[in-house]
Amino acid sequence: MKFLFVAATAIATASAFTTSPATFTTSVPQVGGVRDVFSQEGNAHRNRRSTIVMDGKANAIRDRITTVNNTKKITSAMKLVAAAKVRRAQDAVLATRPFSETLQSVFGGLINRLGGEAADLPLLTQREVNKVTLVSITGDRGLCGGYNSFMIKKTEARFQELTDQGIDCDLILIGKKGISYFTRREYPIRATYECTQNPDSKQALSISEEIINSFLSGETDAVELLYTKFLSLISSTPSVRTLVPFSASEISQKGDEVFQLTSDNGDFGVERKELEVAEPQDFPNDMIFEQDPLQIVNSILPLYLNGQILRTLQESVASELAARMQSMQSASDNAGALSKKLSQEYNRARQASVTQEILEIVSGATALE
């Protein structure tokens, strides 16, 4: 019996030190190369999908929350910058208003003095339309919602409409977004200009000279302006108006409106104010002009065109900035909602990890009893 007990003990001890294939893996050389020992483990690692670690730390979720919050700070700052630029555009519109009123008053008085003689001026002459030039105003940058896409679609639709009527068209493009879009699609382009965030009279003058020269030389029979009419911070409308030839009645009888950016409890808003038509200046019949009144009117028309282009540029820039404000506000709201959702997931992960640790402690204590 003693011998059998010693033999059994020796066999048990030997079996404890016996290696199993599952415990150790050996590399067996083969012809043509060496088999990769960890090939299966490497494939499993590459095919593994990323999962949320429920270990109480949840570093991936925490890092993403930080990134989202930083993005929210950036979009909020961009909204405030756009609001400041809208106010600057508002001040620019108000600064040009006295000149526009005086020009409209003098023009109305001269038209009343001349009567039907003003109809003979080249810029007021209506002629048969065989070719139209479209002036399209877009932005130079993105991150402004559908501002640029709406204006591009409006220009394409108007171009197609005139082409279907058998009228030749070409384009004068203002803004990098419109220039890049129509250039890639090989549209007939007469001239291109950049649309800065602060349009000035020099920029408007170069555009108006191109328009007037094209019309007076007979290269085009009409010029239409496509721009974005500023309505409010959440609304703007793509609009079309005829620039050349002018309408004397429209110049002397058309009113104006200005907008003013306001704020109430941190919320931005816009107040619009309709302005009455400037009263025509009274020129007595016995007044002697140093120059011919027709020449004066002919000199006023380019100034009027320059002012109208500057005004539409400023209004388009205000519409772009308002669209950017709205877009950044939406981005900030979405970032806040996403941050709140991620915070909930992070808290759930921490709670699950803490609960698991408590269960392990309780199970261990129960096992020791």
Side-chain angles (χ1 to χ4, degrees), residues 20-319:
S20 61
T23 306
F24 299 96
T25 305
T26 58
S27 177
V28 180
Q30 295 180 351
V31 179
V34 180
R35 180 169 59 88
D36 187 3
V37 178
F38 303 100
S39 59
Q40 296 181 354
E41 183 180 356
N43 291 332
H45 178 74
R46 283 192 296 270
N47 295 330
R48 186 176 62 187
R49 296 181 179 178
S50 59
T51 57
I52 298 177
V53 180
M54 302 295 185
D55 59 351
K57 297 181 181 179
N59 294 328
I61 304 178
R62 185 170 55 191
D63 292 343
R64 192 176 179 192
I65 292 174
T66 303
T67 303
V68 171
N69 289 332
N70 291 336
T71 303
K72 182 179 179 181
K73 293 179 181 179
I74 294 173
T75 54
S76 299
M78 292 181 67
K79 175 192 172 182
L80 296 178
V81 170
K85 291 182 178 180
V86 168
R87 190 175 295 276
R88 186 171 62 185
Q90 161 198 319
D91 296 337
V93 171
L94 295 176
T96 59
R97 179 59 192 166
F99 174 78
S100 300
E101 287 181 346
T102 303
L103 195 66
Q104 187 179 32
S105 177
V106 173
F107 183 84
L110 290 174
I111 290 297
N112 293 336
R113 172 71 180 271
L114 293 173
E117 297 181 14
D120 297 333
L121 293 175
L123 291 176
L124 296 176
T125 303
Q126 301 285 340
R127 59 195 186 198
E128 184 181 358
V129 178
N130 295 318
K131 186 172 184 178
V132 176
T133 298
L134 301 179
V135 182
S136 178
I137 302 178
T138 58
D140 285 342
R141 295 183 293 177
L143 296 178
C144 52
Y147 170 79
N148 292 314
S149 61
F150 289 158
M151 197 68 254
I152 289 174
K153 290 179 181 178
K154 184 72 173 180
T155 304
E156 280 187 318
R158 183 57 179 167
F159 186 94
Q160 187 63 39
E161 180 183 355
L162 293 173
T163 303
D164 293 340
Q165 297 175 6
I167 301 175
D168 294 335
C169 294
D170 58 5
L171 301 175
I172 295 179
L173 302 175
I174 305 173
K176 293 181 180 179
K177 291 297 181 179
I179 293 173
S180 61
Y181 180 88
F182 290 105
T183 300
R184 288 196 303 267
R185 287 157 180 79
E186 298 181 353
Y187 277 76
I189 299 174
R190 179 179 294 273
T192 59
Y193 303 90
E194 293 185 1
C195 181
T196 61
Q197 294 292 306
N198 188 20
D200 53 11
S201 58
K202 183 179 179 180
Q203 180 183 6
L205 179 61
S206 61
I207 299 172
S208 62
E209 287 180 348
E210 176 66 28
I211 293 173
I212 292 176
N213 293 335
S214 300
F215 181 77
L216 295 179
S217 63
E219 297 179 5
T220 185
D221 300 317
V223 179
E224 294 184 357
L225 177 65
L226 295 91
Y227 69 104
T228 305
K229 184 176 180 59
F230 181 77
L231 299 178
S232 65
L233 292 178
I234 60 174
S235 177
S236 57
T237 305
S239 304
V240 182
R241 57 175 297 188
T242 300
L243 281 180
V244 180
F246 296 107
S247 173
S249 60
E250 181 181 355
I251 296 175
S252 59
Q253 299 176 9
K254 184 179 180 181
D256 200 359
E257 60 182 0
V258 295
F259 61 90
Q260 185 175 4
L261 183 65
T262 61
S263 60
D264 184 15
N265 296 328
D267 296 329
F268 292 104
V270 172
E271 293 181 356
R272 302 188 68 87
K273 182 180 180 181
E274 297 288 340
L275 300 178
E276 297 181 356
V277 180
E279 292 293 334
Q281 189 169 345
D282 186 18
F283 295 108
N285 294 329
D286 57 350
M287 178 179 290
I288 300 175
F289 291 92
E290 184 176 352
Q291 294 180 345
D292 186 3
L294 284 176
Q295 294 182 358
I296 298 176
V297 173
N298 200 28
S299 301
I300 288 177
L301 290 176
L303 294 177
Y304 175 79
L305 177 62
N306 188 18
Q308 291 299 304
I309 291 177
L310 178 60
R311 174 62 184 272
T312 53
L313 286 174
Q314 293 169 343
E315 195 162 355
S316 296
V317 169
S319 300

